[in-house]
Amino acid sequence: MRAVCTPLTACSLRFLEGFMPSIADFETMLAAGRDNALLRFSLGNEYLKQGDAVKAAEHLRRAVEHDPKYSAAWKLLGRALTDAEAWTDALAAYQQGIAVAEARGDKQAAKEMGVFARRIQKQLGLESED
């Protein structure tokens, strides 16, 4: 008798072990109409890992358009824009992310983005709001 693999069986879990979706996998999902905040965040994260900060920022902007309360997406958008040396846009992303994180009670994310925002303010010669 042959084992039957259903979505919840051990054999299907073994198949997925080590599976790491690639940019191509995410782009395929996007092309299939699965556009949402998590998919855009994942694409942005992967492009950032590949060193394409501009492409990452495009997807992360879409992530926060889908879900303006997605503090992790705001944080990663700030990082992508920083890596792209778009300092004022990065600062604005971090400031928006701080507001979102504070509203959600995500103190750690707000604190981290605050540190990054202050570094940009210092670099731009702006007064810190603290």
Side-chain angles (χ1 to χ4, degrees), residues 27-97:
E27 291 284 4
T28 299
M29 287 184 239
L30 186 60
R34 296 182 183 166
D35 196 0
N36 60 54
L38 181 58
L39 178 57
R40 293 294 185 148
F41 177 85
S42 299
L43 269 166
N45 189 41
E46 290 304 312
Y47 276 112
L48 201 53
K49 287 178 187 177
Q50 297 297 318
D52 191 343
V54 172
K55 190 80 168 173
E58 291 173 21
H59 288 289
L60 293 163
R61 284 184 202 272
R62 293 298 308 272
V64 297
E65 286 173 11
H66 280 289
D67 184 358
K69 295 180 182 179
Y70 195 172
S71 56
W74 283 109
K75 181 179 165 188
L76 202 58
L77 174 58
R79 181 174 157 213
L81 292 166
T82 298
D83 287 359
E85 299 183 358
W87 307 115
T88 56
D89 289 343
L91 180 58
Y94 283 133
Q95 290 170 334
Q96 182 63 38

